[in-house]
Amino acid sequence: MATLDSKIPAGPLAEKWRRHKTEIKLVNPANKRKYEVIVVGAGLAGSSAAATLAELGYKVKNFVFHDSPRRAHSIAAQGGINAAKNYQNDGDSVYRLFYDTIKGGDYRSREANVHRLAEVSVNIIDQCVAQGVPFAREYGGLLANRSFGGAQVSRTFYARGQTGQQLLLGAYSALSRQVGLGTVQLHTHSEMLDLVVVGGQAKGIIVRDLVTGAISRHAADAVVLATGGYGNVFNLSTYARQSNATAIWRAYKRGACFANPCYTQIHPTCIPVTGDYQSKLTLMSESLRNDGRIWVPKRAEDRRKDPNTIPESDRDYYLERIYPSFGNLCPRDVASRAAKRVCDEGRGVGESGLGVYLDFGDAIRRLGEGGVRERYGNLFDIYHEITAENAYRTPMRIYPAVHYTMGGLWVDYNLMSNLPGLFVLGEANFSDHGANRLGASALMQGLADGYFVIPYTIGDYLASLKPGSRPSTDAPEFKQAEDNVRSLTLRLLGAKGREPVSHFHKRLGQLVWQHCGMARNRADLEKGLREIPALREEFWSGVRVPGSGDTLNQSLERAGRVADFLELAELMLRDALARDESCGCHFREEHQYPDGECKRDDANYAHVAAWEYQGEGKAPLRNVEALTYEFVKMSVRNYK
Amino acid sequence: MNLAGRLFCTTIGRKLLVAVTGVFLILFIIGHLIGNLQVFEDPDKINGYAHFLRSLGPGLWIARVVLLACAAIHIWAASALAIADRKARGPQEYKMNRWLEATFASRYMRWTGYVVLAFVLYHLAQFTWGGVQSATFKDNLPAYTMAHDYTAFGFVAVPAGTQVPDVRTMVIRGFQNPVVAVFYIVAVGLLSLHLLHGVESLFQTLGWRNSRWSRGLRAAVALACAAYFLGNLSIPGAVLAGELQPAAPATARR
Amino acid sequence: MSSSPPTLSVTLRVWRQPGASQPGRFVDYPARNLNPSMSFLEMLDVVNDELTAKGEEPIAFAHDCREGICGTCSLMIDGKPHGPHRGVATCQTYLRSFQDGDVIVVEPFRARAFPVIKDLVTDRSAFDQIQQAGGFVTVRTGSAPEANNLPVPKDDSDLAMDAAACIGCGACVAACKNASAMLFVAAKVSHLGLLPQGQAERDRRVLAMVQTMDAAGFGGCTNQYECGAACPKLISVDFIARLNRDYRRASFRAAFRPQPLEAGGSG
Ligand SMILES: Cc1cc2nc3c(=O)[nH]c(=O)nc-3n(C[C@H](O)[C@H](O)[C@H](O)COP(=O)(O)OP(=O)(O)OC[C@H]3O[C@@H](n4cnc5c(N)ncnc54)[C@H](O)[C@@H]3O)c2cc1C
Ligand code: HEM
Ligand code: HEM
Ligand code: SF4
Ligand code: F3S
Ligand code: FES
């Protein structure tokens, strides 16, 4: 039974972080270089952490499976990053950003963490601008903002439709500088396949070189995982194809608790599925909802008509109708479920009937086509590339798709998991977004964790270790972990089946989407829980992984990742079943208000569920960390 | 790395050298063309001009040295780059490789360049050293007596009555051999092609080009190169067409 | 339009090379009954699944985001990097751009500085080395001033953004007859050089990055502008002119600027 001590500092909310920083232990500068830190991942969280820790003087080893740190999935973020700068003078503040995030998360996140996030958000913008991130500006030369879902203030900073790219290039440049200085040892094409735990503490990792197949051991005083989200469990998602859960899943199997695995965000504005060959779904940035109006025909029989021929009177702008005050800008989970509902009513548009219109007719009338192009040009281009349709003429068709995983490894206020020495940052942890993430908050969190939290909190842990006390890679734990990796690799290569990995990934994806997608219920979840183990059986007997283990072998890479997804999926459904309430993205049909809104059960579920691995074939343990709200009062989320 | 290293040992530095030396070479050939066009005027003009240039003595040699240095650096740098560029492409050729944007002229810079080099060598042998076509070489021709003063910059450079090499006749006789004339025409044609890319390219290399006026630049350069070609074409052309005849012996001898 | 022609079948002529040191060759693969709104990479997925089913090794090709932003995908398709269209990456190339019965030649991006790892996958780490040499603004975390303390003229920051849009795919190198990395380096140097934040290190940056570019074995630029035409983000070759200018100025400044007696502080 793991102990989940959130280590939340005492004191008034706004004081906690400042006070904590003054109270935690420091490592003296001369000693820093005696500590080695492994950072896995170089997305926003990983590269910002690796760069900053190296600046502080720690010896850093950075591992990524990509061929370059710059390719991390963070690069794909489009819309923007939030910060409580209040440059718009529209009443924004640290408290409001904190409050919006807590509320957006449907009261399932930690007050202290979220407030810290809101506090450092302002430093992030300063840091990025100093690095040369070309944020959008006004003619006066000052920074511009746009508004984003779930907020009534305009606090989102953006760089065209490429905010994530620009922020990542900023962090990547800081990382590159350290690599150039020799303070960070960069290992590209290197996939972490196991965590090494020595004496109950995370002390190293096992890595496979994806080019040579060489498997190597790496010891350190602390291990930082910043390996991103696990949305590719669903196969079809807005994630990059290679994003995976392997690092956190293997850490989970080494004893790190996995928190709220069922919290997966479904993004309302994605390009609908066209065929079964499809490999990914493309997001149309949420910022489109600023000027686009979402509608479906009032009558189901109109759904195949040319939208331009459908008169206003026959259109149902359902978000504006149901949520007058937030309208098209209501939070993602709300918007997604609304779309699902109207499609279930048979009013969905497009061939599949799984789509709604995102209409820029009004915006074009208001701003002119040029004005719209100025704001969203590249998104319209993306849409055209994929659908060969011109969204300036006919409305876009959109449908929700898997986009983000709020769940992840459990961490305390210091971002350390229940395994001492294991720190988890960015999307890989569960920390700040509760049951639903607001737009433009993930970039903020990733950079907050990497630039401004871990550099302080890791010191507190390292200071408690004797310099040079890290174990050698000859320790039996390293050997055992390496053998474990080797045998898994051999097992995959030796599988005697004939189906490609993708076959199982697709089936798993459909299964999870049906049973644990936008809406969930007991019967479905139980059904899914029976089907997954069967599918897993089939995988191991039916999969074929061609090629060898000692060269670049993409089938092998994917096979290992899908094998992990097949296990993780089961935990997601378990969690969804055990959480017998609706909250944020977790919508249990049994628990809804007449208007189809989430019905939370704060009495019984105002807690984090942190699952603990119990061994092969054994049911995992469900630990809970109670969420206490000292400063905001839990209320029913209402975007009407 | 010091400045010399940055100019002579980096790709951008070398390219810079090609451009700057290119500028000098261009200035020379333009001036040279203007001088040569005097062949269409009274024999006094070009003969006087040629004699005047010779009489500059050290000045001429300075000019020659500068010119030679520019040509040498230009050719060396361009060739060194060319070799490095081949190497950078790597061992394996593309099976299929399309041109997307590069102009025709830009694809054959090396070849046009080397042909021009060959031409210049022949040209020098013909008109400066007399190694080839020596029968019509100026020194082997009867001297020409200036009928009038040749004035440069307002004062008399070559007074009437001076005996000077008959450059005009040399040139015209030289071109009366159709093979030579055609060779010249081809060579200056290729040189113009070389400049068609070269001059535009030079602006990019020196950092003075951008898409706001690159179209205009391209047009201007094309015009200039056409003009340069016609100017050079006119001399052997006129000789071939029989328009340009050596001066009547009467004026040539006393 | 997206749902017009029924299906198409093509022949893929693909470069197969087991490893960096082994020789490679072209192999033909039929791809039948494809949906025109399928992406080029999705077609390769299908072909690879068929190969796997037959027990053959699938074609290794680099990809990740599949929406034209990560710069991982890198195929030379019928002699043009990233396929027939302008301003898109390989992953944004759709089969509707091809005709039924086409024979499509698929090769890796080729350059001495981009050695083949396997089949269509190449090693582009030379780009990272160039970045490490100077593609940054030296600013320790936490030392940054308030963001709005330094206004940046909108036009400058927009232009910087144009340059910063580079996705580091290497198509410029692949397209350049000299395998020159000038467009990439120009984009990087200009992005920071156009912003006030980048001024302090402007000279050191351009000198260091160009030196590293040369050392990596890329060719020189002969101003042929193939790169700009092949670039998925249509990075303008104007930035190359800018790079040339920056480099020239930096070289001369470095040679003639008076030197402080002591170079205090740290790089
Ligand atoms: C299409 C899209 C648009 C988005 N838009 C926005 C937005 O506008 N605003 C916003 O705030 N958020 C947005 N998000 C969410 C946000 O981009 C991500 O949540 C965030 O970037 C995650 O960053 P990260 O550093 O945690 O992980 P990632 O960026 O995913 O990085 C993961 C890193 O870990 C490495 N890695 C993973 N596993 C291993 C392993 N086993 N071994 C070695 N290395 C490994 C990878 O190589 C990579 O470097 C968007 C997400 C998507 C999919
Ligand atoms: C139809 C075209 C040309 C004609 C009629 C012509 C004529 C001449 C003549 C008469 C001379 C010798 C002058 C003298 O020594 O008295 C000369 C010299 C020379 N020409 Fe030309 N020329 C022509 C084109 C060119 C071109 C295209 C180039 C260069 C690419 C060139 C390069 C030279 C050089 C380098 C010299 C030597 C100058 C010196 O003595 O230092 N010429 N030319
Ligand atoms: C009168 C003679 C010549 C003139 C006026 C001339 C002029 C120029 C100019 C202006 C350029 C463009 C430089 C740039 O791109 O920035 C150039 C490029 C070049 N020149 Fe010449 N050139 C001459 C002779 C030669 C010769 C004899 C060679 C023989 C090798 C040569 C080879 C080249 C090459 C290869 C280039 C291309 C360089 C590049 O684009 O990288 N040139 N020349
Ligand atoms: S400049 Fe263009 S082609 Fe070159 S790497 Fe950048 S994005 Fe790719
Ligand atoms: S194609 Fe090559 S030659 Fe220069 S302009 Fe582009 S790098
Ligand atoms: S796969 Fe990311 S750009 Fe093509």
Side-chain angles (χ1 to χ4, degrees):
Chain A
M1 180 84 180
T3 47
L4 303 178
D5 175 2
S6 65
K7 305 235 181 67
I8 294 173
L13 186 61
E15 288 299 304
K16 287 180 190 288
W17 178 230
R18 200 182 51 69
R19 200 178 288 181
H20 189 61
K21 282 193 292 184
T22 58
E23 285 166 1
I24 53 183
K25 295 201 225 66
L26 298 174
V27 177
N28 97 39
N31 276 348
K32 287 211 175 81
R33 83 184 93 83
K34 300 189 188 138
Y35 292 103
E36 259 189 53
V37 180
I38 284 174
V39 177
V40 186
L44 287 180
S47 44
S48 56
T52 307
L53 292 174
E55 283 171 5
L56 288 172
Y58 297 110
K59 279 175 76 183
V60 178
K61 279 187 179 177
N62 186 209
F63 297 84
V64 301
F65 67 66
H66 286 95
D67 66 339
S68 161
R70 77 177 307 294
R71 310 218 191 273
H73 171 56
S74 295
I75 203 96
Q78 302 170 349
I81 177 169
N82 289 332
K85 283 284 197 184
N86 191 30
Y87 285 157
Q88 302 305 314
N89 193 32
D90 56 1
D92 196 10
S93 65
V94 167
Y95 184 83
R96 189 176 287 277
L97 175 53
F98 154 76
Y99 179 78
D100 288 348
T101 311
I102 289 278
K103 180 185 175 198
D106 213 0
Y107 305 93
R108 288 295 176 266
S109 45
R110 277 192 208 130
E111 281 183 324
N113 286 60
V114 176
H115 197 277
R116 174 177 65 190
L117 177 63
E119 286 171 52
V120 300
S121 68
V122 298
N123 310 70
I124 294 172
I125 300 305
D126 299 343
Q127 185 65 29
C128 295
V129 166
Q131 289 170 340
V133 171
F135 283 121
R137 289 176 182 269
E138 285 152 2
Y139 280 103
L142 302 180
L143 293 160
N145 291 110
R146 62 165 52 144
S147 40
F148 237 64
Q152 283 166 311
V153 296
S154 183
R155 65 160 72 102
T156 303
F157 295 78
Y158 62 100
R160 301 226 175 116
Q162 293 128 282
T163 315
Q165 179 196 29
Q166 293 312 315
L167 293 173
L168 181 60
L169 291 180
Y172 164 70
S173 67
L175 174 61
S176 295
R177 176 168 162 259
Q178 296 304 321
V179 174
L181 294 172
T183 55
V184 172
Q185 208 186 85
L186 178 62
H187 300 260
T188 57
H189 272 309
S190 304
E191 183 162 33
M192 164 188 167
L193 291 178
D194 208 347
L195 178 73
V196 182
V197 180
V198 182
Q201 309 212 349
K203 289 298 166 195
I205 60 174
I206 305 297
V207 171
R208 178 170 182 270
D209 181 316
L210 299 182
V211 175
T212 66
I215 292 173
S216 56
R217 311 170 180 184
H218 301 269
D221 295 284
V223 176
V224 178
L225 299 187
T227 55
Y230 52 89
N232 276 344
V233 167
F234 291 83
N235 182 39
L236 281 184
S237 78
T238 63
Y239 283 74
R241 285 304 282 161
Q242 302 195 80
S243 298
N244 66 82
T246 292
I248 55 175
W249 189 249
R250 309 264 167 114
Y252 162 78
K253 288 174 113 181
R254 292 284 175 189
C257 289
F258 205 124
N260 305 331
C262 79
Y263 289 165
T264 49
Q265 177 167 80
I266 317 286
H267 194 292
T269 56
C270 304
I271 300 177
V273 181
T274 55
D276 60 355
Y277 51 77
Q278 199 148 355
S279 60
K280 85 159 272 165
L281 298 173
T282 303
L283 173 87
M284 291 279 100
S285 170
E286 184 166 28
S287 58
L288 289 167
R289 288 202 274 150
N290 285 318
D291 294 299
R293 297 179 66 200
I294 296 174
W295 63 277
V296 291
K298 280 190 177 147
R299 282 177 276 102
E301 54 271 31
D302 288 355
R303 68 183 202 79
R304 292 211 166 280
K305 277 201 197 148
D306 167 2
N308 293 321
T309 64
I310 302 178
E312 285 293 320
S313 54
D314 294 352
R315 303 179 175 188
D316 177 11
Y317 295 90
Y318 56 89
L319 288 179
E320 299 168 26
R321 172 170 57 81
I322 309 171
Y323 311 102
S325 66
F326 275 74
N328 293 301
L329 285 178
C330 63
R332 292 173 171 176
D333 57 331
V334 177
S336 295
R337 273 196 301 279
K340 180 178 191 299
R341 240 179 280 119
V342 295
C343 291
D344 292 349
E345 293 164 19
R347 299 192 283 148
V349 298
E351 281 148 58
S352 61
L354 294 177
V356 301
Y357 289 124
L358 178 59
D359 196 333
F360 284 82
D362 286 358
I364 289 172
R365 258 168 253 118
R366 194 169 77 253
L367 308 162
E369 190 169 317
V372 172
R373 180 170 279 111
E374 156 89 9
R375 287 187 199 180
Y376 309 110
N378 75 315
L379 295 168
F380 277 55
D381 294 346
I382 292 173
Y383 186 78
H384 175 75
E385 269 305 322
I386 294 172
T387 62
E389 290 173 23
N390 176 350
Y392 295 102
R393 299 275 158 280
T394 55
M396 286 184 183
R397 278 176 299 104
I398 55 164
Y399 196 68
V402 174
H403 177 62
Y404 185 86
T405 51
M406 282 73 67
L409 292 186
W410 182 91
V411 290
D412 62 19
Y413 187 73
N414 296 322
L415 301 184
M416 185 161 84
S417 85
N418 56 302
L419 282 180
L422 178 67
F423 293 79
V424 191
L425 318 182
E427 191 172 346
N429 73 23
F430 89 107
S431 68
D432 300 355
H433 306 295
N436 172 54
R437 174 177 70 82
L438 290 182
S441 294
L443 300 180
M444 173 172 65
Q445 182 226 334
L447 290 178
D449 291 359
Y451 282 135
F452 297 109
V453 179
I454 191 78
Y456 293 94
T457 57
I458 202 170
D460 191 45
Y461 168 75
L462 293 174
S464 70
L465 308 173
K466 221 164 98 291
S469 64
R470 89 185 75 92
S472 104
T473 52
D474 306 332
E477 291 84 351
F478 277 90
K479 181 173 189 322
Q480 189 275 338
E482 181 179 332
D483 296 346
N484 173 39
V485 168
R486 290 189 184 281
S487 61
L488 182 69
T489 309
L490 290 179
R491 190 172 165 212
L492 287 165
L493 288 166
K496 292 272 170 290
R498 18 198 2 280
E499 294 289 351
V501 177
S502 63
H503 166 83
F504 298 96
H505 200 177
K506 281 182 185 150
R507 282 174 58 192
L508 176 67
Q510 278 155 6
L511 192 157
V512 184
W513 178 249
Q514 275 156 21
H515 300 314
C516 197
M518 266 186 286
R520 305 147 178 199
N521 62 59
R522 173 171 298 283
D524 278 358
L525 289 164
E526 282 168 344
K527 186 155 170 294
L529 280 169
R530 282 191 303 275
E531 292 173 0
I532 291 171
L535 183 59
R536 210 160 42 224
E537 288 304 307
E538 254 190 85
F539 172 82
W540 284 107
S541 59
V543 76
R544 169 183 277 160
V545 183
S548 79
D550 49 21
T551 63
L552 179 70
N553 185 336
Q554 293 169 322
S555 313
L556 177 61
E557 293 167 28
R558 188 162 178 205
R561 295 164 188 171
V562 170
D564 290 340
F565 285 145
L566 280 160
E567 297 176 4
L568 168 55
E570 186 173 357
L571 191 68
M572 288 169 66
L573 270 71
R574 264 182 203 284
D575 187 45
L577 184 61
R579 185 167 286 279
D580 197 5
E581 66 160 351
S582 291
C583 61
C585 289
H586 173 62
F587 185 71
R588 284 285 298 266
E589 285 159 347
E590 303 93 324
H591 305 287
Q592 53 180 306
Y593 292 101
D595 61 4
E597 290 304 324
C598 285
K599 193 169 197 175
R600 289 202 320 267
D601 175 355
D602 295 337
N604 299 307
Y605 290 98
H607 62 237
V608 176
W611 296 83
E612 187 179 355
Y613 186 66
Q614 298 294 303
E616 205 64 55
K618 300 208 193 68
L621 201 63
R622 186 177 190 267
N623 304 306
V624 302
E625 174 204 340
L627 292 168
T628 50
Y629 283 80
E630 305 174 53
F631 304 93
V632 298
K633 91 171 231 315
M634 298 171 123
S635 62
V636 176
R637 263 192 341 166
N638 176 354
Y639 290 94
K640 299 195 163 133
Chain B
M1 229 198 291
N2 60 14
L3 184 58
R6 293 211 167 95
L7 288 178
F8 284 82
C9 306
T10 66
T11 49
I12 297 185
R14 286 177 177 174
K15 191 63 196 287
L16 211 61
L17 294 175
V18 175
V20 173
T21 53
V23 172
F24 280 96
L25 295 174
I26 290 172
L27 292 178
F28 166 76
I29 60 170
I30 291 173
H32 188 50
L33 173 60
I34 294 168
N36 293 338
L37 287 174
Q38 299 175 77
V39 76
F40 289 105
E41 299 178 32
D42 179 282
D44 278 2
K45 284 275 187 248
I46 187 160
N47 290 341
Y49 163 73
H51 185 71
F52 163 66
L53 287 182
R54 303 230 154 291
S55 63
L56 291 178
L60 175 63
W61 278 105
I62 294 170
R64 284 176 165 176
V65 169
V66 171
L67 198 60
L68 198 65
C70 284
I73 294 173
H74 186 85
I75 296 168
W76 166 77
S79 309
L81 281 171
I83 292 163
D85 295 350
R86 282 291 312 110
K87 192 138 146 282
R89 255 279 121 249
Q92 181 68 40
E93 289 286 329
Y94 282 116
K95 183 186 192 71
M96 197 166 173
N97 195 352
R98 286 199 268 123
W99 288 102
L100 307 172
E101 194 90 6
T103 58
F104 176 84
S106 73
R107 303 178 204 171
Y108 300 101
M109 287 304 273
R110 277 118 189 140
W111 305 123
T112 50
Y114 287 118
V115 175
V116 169
L117 177 60
F119 160 81
V120 172
L121 293 178
Y122 181 89
H123 182 61
L124 290 173
Q126 178 185 11
F127 288 154
T128 310
W129 309 320
V132 295
Q133 296 179 287
S134 33
T136 58
F137 186 57
K138 54 198 177 202
D139 300 358
N140 310 339
L141 291 173
Y144 172 85
T145 315
M146 297 289 289
H148 318 86
D149 297 348
Y150 177 83
T151 54
F153 312 107
F155 58 86
V156 177
V158 187
T162 332
Q163 297 243 322
V164 301
D166 192 347
V167 169
R168 182 167 185 277
T169 309
M170 166 177 74
V171 170
I172 297 173
R173 287 277 193 75
F175 289 158
Q176 276 168 344
N177 173 345
V179 181
V180 176
V182 170
F183 172 51
Y184 265 68
I185 293 172
V186 172
V188 292
L190 293 180
L191 175 57
S192 310
L193 200 61
H194 190 80
L195 295 179
L196 190 58
H197 174 70
V199 176
E200 186 191 345
S201 171
L202 157 171
F203 281 83
Q204 176 82 349
T205 304
L206 295 175
W208 298 332
R209 174 195 163 282
N210 75 47
S211 46
R212 294 182 82 169
W213 57 286
S214 53
R215 271 213 189 71
L217 175 67
R218 183 161 283 188
V221 170
L223 275 174
C225 291
Y228 179 74
F229 175 65
L230 292 176
N232 272 312
L233 172 72
S234 64
I235 300 168
V239 174
L240 281 186
E243 294 297 320
L244 207 54
Q245 297 290 346
T251 43
R253 223 186 259 98
R254 169 170 291 121
Chain C
M1 203 296 242
S2 59
S3 58
S4 41
T7 71
L8 73 166
S9 301
V10 299
T11 304
L12 298 173
R13 187 155 295 159
V14 182
W15 177 261
R16 298 304 303 268
Q17 182 174 342
S21 46
Q22 289 104 310
R25 63 196 179 87
F26 283 92
V27 182
D28 284 7
Y29 299 99
R32 299 203 186 77
N33 312 328
L34 307 160
N35 181 325
S37 47
M38 206 184 219
S39 82
F40 195 86
L41 295 185
E42 284 164 348
M43 168 176 66
L44 288 181
D45 292 339
V46 171
V47 170
N48 276 345
D49 283 354
E50 288 167 4
L51 287 174
T52 308
K54 281 191 276 168
E56 296 177 36
E57 244 201 276
I59 303 159
F61 65 94
H63 69 93
D64 197 19
C65 75
R66 298 209 174 187
E67 54 184 71
I69 194 70
C70 73
T72 311
C73 60
S74 45
L75 300 181
M76 189 81 167
I77 301 171
D78 276 343
K80 183 184 172 299
H82 293 308
H85 281 295
R86 270 180 151 257
V88 296
T90 304
C91 58
Q92 297 166 293
T93 299
Y94 288 80
L95 296 189
R96 55 179 98 83
S97 327
F98 298 88
Q99 302 299 323
D100 190 47
D102 280 358
V103 175
I104 306 172
V105 179
V106 188
E107 303 176 72
F109 282 2
R110 295 195 186 281
R112 187 166 62 109
F114 288 171
V116 171
I117 291 174
K118 183 175 184 177
D119 296 344
L120 303 171
V121 182
T122 57
D123 175 357
R124 287 166 288 178
S125 49
F127 275 6
D128 292 306
Q129 290 157 19
I130 293 172
Q131 284 281 31
Q132 288 152 18
F136 47 75
V137 173
T138 297
V139 47
R140 303 177 135 271
T141 304
S143 61
E146 150 65 35
N148 262 351
N149 277 359
L150 92 164
V152 182
K154 188 176 189 307
D155 296 345
D156 292 0
S157 89
D158 285 350
L159 201 57
M161 181 62 217
D162 287 348
C166 163
I167 60 175
C169 62
C172 42
V173 176
C176 176
K177 297 302 172 277
N178 315 322
S180 170
M182 284 288 272
L183 190 59
F184 169 78
V185 175
K188 295 298 164 194
V189 166
S190 304
H191 161 208
L192 296 178
L194 277 158
L195 296 169
Q197 302 90 304
Q199 296 314 307
E201 287 164 297
R202 187 168 174 177
D203 287 2
R204 308 176 82 246
R205 178 181 306 116
V206 65
L207 294 175
M209 290 178 84
V210 168
Q211 197 171 342
T212 317
M213 168 182 85
D214 286 353
F218 293 103
C221 175
T222 51
N223 303 336
Q224 290 180 292
Y225 311 145
E226 295 284 290
C227 50
C231 172
K233 296 298 163 196
L234 296 177
I235 302 290
S236 163
V237 294
D238 292 4
F239 291 120
I240 295 181
R242 213 172 177 290
L243 172 61
N244 289 328
R245 198 166 66 230
D246 269 12
Y247 182 80
R248 190 180 76 235
R249 291 185 181 160
S251 308
F252 282 92
R253 269 201 292 266
F256 298 115
R257 188 200 295 102
Q259 293 227 314
L261 292 175
E262 247 177 65
S266 70

